[in-house]
Amino acid sequence: MNPYYFASIALILIGFYAILAKRNVLKMLVGLSIMETGVNLLLISVGYVSGKSAPILTEGITPNNAVDPIPQALVLTAIVIGVATTAMALSVVINLYEKYKTLNVEEIRRLRG
Amino acid sequence: MVKRVLAIVFILIIGLWMAKALDQVPFGEDRMLVGKYYLDHVKEETGAVNAVTAVVVNYRGFDTLGEVTVLFIASTGVAALLWKKRKERSAKTEGSVVLTTGARILLPFIMLFGAYIFIHGHLTPGGGFPGGATIATAFLFLYLTFTLYEVDHKIFEPLEGLAGIGYVTVGLIGLAVGGYFLFDWIWQTWGVGKENIGRLISAGFIPIIYTLIGIKVGTELTGIIDNMIKEPEEGGQ
């Protein structure tokens, strides 16, 4: 198995584990960010063509020795959306802590009822 | 304990399934279809040297417009979630002299580098989003170093809105000139800089749109920082 694929799958799984098993909301958010990183790494590594360089066509780089530009454009979009969702989630976490004075998901569930 | 073991087993099953699926995708092989077209035609169709920014701004401009919208909604959402009257800074520790002096010296360099990144988006790696993030880093630096610092909200929020309106306006002029939204009228109709591809004045509207996006992203991320670093006066400590 290719190391890039392996690393991206491992990152996605580590993030998923954090979401499933951790009780602290902040740790779950860290897991979400790790998952995003894994997905972005997977997208980039699918677009790689061995032996070719970055798709910036200056000084000796012709269209024949550049990698696929589309996954890089997709990842550029995905990173920004990841940052936006993380910022939203963090402000929700700030509100949660101000309301319940705890970040443990099980306690928050109990407090509500 | 049982929960964690169950989670690990579940995750390992998902991992095996993903690994099996990815085995069908060979690594490092040339399987470009549309990408080949973009690489072959990027110079004469958009004038940009950097194929990624040409794809992001020119060929798939709607993606970038949606992305800017997502970021704008996130910034507005953070402001709505954390909006309280009488805001005050949460951490009020004074930084050391080394920190404040270092911030004063480094600040113009960070700002200049951010502006360089988004102005040269069609020539070098980067573009509007990295450049805007760099500029927001400069403001984060100011917020973390000086306890009394606050951006001028009378200038900042209108600037953010104007940059977004400017992007849509450039697209609408394309609709009027060329027949579809985000048509590159500067390159395809006017032909500005046709003979100096690879220099600054080229690539149609990519530098203009990236300057607007850089301003917008920089102000939006700074607004998110500004909202998160404050807390209500009575609820503090």
Side-chain angles (χ1 to χ4, degrees):
Chain A
M1 178 125 210
N2 184 277
Y4 291 94
Y5 289 168
F6 180 79
S8 50
I9 290 179
L11 280 174
I12 292 172
L13 294 183
I14 290 168
F16 201 41
Y17 174 77
I19 292 171
L20 285 179
K22 294 289 172 190
R23 293 199 184 87
N24 191 321
V25 185
L26 274 180
K27 287 182 182 169
M28 291 164 96
L29 272 184
V30 170
L32 202 66
S33 289
I34 293 173
M35 249 175 120
E36 274 164 20
T37 315
V39 171
N40 290 340
L41 180 62
L42 182 62
L43 269 175
I44 282 286
S45 52
V46 163
Y48 179 68
V49 183
S50 53
K52 300 191 174 179
S53 70
I56 295 170
L57 309 173
T58 46
E59 284 169 26
I61 296 171
T62 55
N64 289 323
N65 52 11
V67 298
D68 198 348
I70 297 175
Q72 306 198 9
L74 289 178
V75 167
L76 194 64
T77 314
I79 289 173
V80 174
I81 289 171
V83 169
T85 49
T86 309
M88 279 291 278
L90 277 175
S91 48
V92 171
V93 169
I94 292 174
N95 276 357
L96 269 181
Y97 187 76
E98 275 175 6
K99 193 162 184 204
Y100 296 119
K101 298 290 175 208
T102 176
L103 284 181
N104 189 328
V105 266
E106 292 176 356
E107 277 185 46
I108 289 172
R109 200 175 293 142
R110 208 178 308 130
L111 281 170
R112 199 189 61 191
Chain B
M1 198 62 217
V2 180
K3 191 180 154 193
R4 296 202 167 181
V5 173
L6 269 178
I8 288 172
V9 169
F10 180 57
I11 277 165
L12 284 179
I13 291 169
I14 293 179
L16 274 176
W17 170 68
M18 281 171 77
K20 257 201 146 71
L22 274 178
D23 261 349
Q24 317 290 316
V25 185
F27 182 75
E29 235 174 62
D30 196 343
R31 64 183 95 77
M32 283 186 259
L33 297 167
V34 189
K36 194 71 201 153
Y37 175 84
Y38 285 161
L39 284 175
D40 284 337
H41 296 84
V42 66
K43 274 193 180 174
E44 70 262 28
E45 281 188 358
T46 69
V49 170
N50 187 343
V52 179
T53 51
V55 170
V56 165
V57 178
N58 214 313
Y59 290 113
R60 301 187 175 201
F62 272 105
D63 279 13
T64 309
L65 191 62
E67 190 181 357
V68 169
T69 314
V70 166
L71 205 59
F72 173 71
I73 290 171
S75 156
T76 321
V78 168
L81 281 168
L82 299 177
W83 189 83
K84 281 142 207 148
K85 268 186 183 172
R86 292 198 302 160
K87 283 181 149 188
E88 211 172 61
R89 292 285 293 273
S90 45
K92 294 193 203 96
T93 334
E94 278 289 339
S96 69
V97 186
V98 179
L99 187 66
T100 51
T101 316
R104 281 209 179 94
I105 294 169
L106 271 178
L107 199 75
F109 290 103
I110 302 176
M111 292 272 195
L112 189 69
F113 187 57
Y116 165 78
I117 290 175
F118 67 64
I119 289 170
H120 290 79
H122 54 303
L123 304 174
T124 55
F129 294 98
T134 312
I135 288 192
T137 313
F139 282 106
L140 174 65
F141 207 27
L142 278 179
Y143 268 107
L144 292 181
T145 310
F146 302 104
T147 51
L148 292 175
Y149 179 76
E150 190 173 358
V151 293
D152 192 351
H153 291 281
K154 284 209 176 76
I155 299 175
F156 238 65
E157 272 91 28
L159 193 65
E160 180 187 336
L162 277 180
I165 291 169
Y167 186 7
V168 177
T169 310
V170 171
L172 284 177
I173 294 171
L175 183 68
V177 174
Y180 57 92
F181 192 57
L182 292 171
F183 174 78
D184 191 352
W185 44 284
I186 296 176
W187 180 259
Q188 308 221 11
T189 310
W190 290 5
V192 174
K194 283 265 188 203
E195 63 285 335
N196 55 356
I197 291 174
R199 294 169 192 235
L200 186 59
I201 312 282
S202 67
F205 67 11
I206 293 178
I208 294 167
I209 282 187
Y210 257 165
T211 306
L212 291 170
I213 290 177
I215 293 169
K216 193 165 167 57
V217 171
T219 49
E220 265 160 8
L221 293 180
T222 311
I224 289 175
I225 294 163
D226 180 75
N227 278 311
M228 281 194 171
I229 213 160
K230 290 167 172 180
E231 62 183 20
E233 218 167 326
E234 59 274 278
Q237 270 105 53

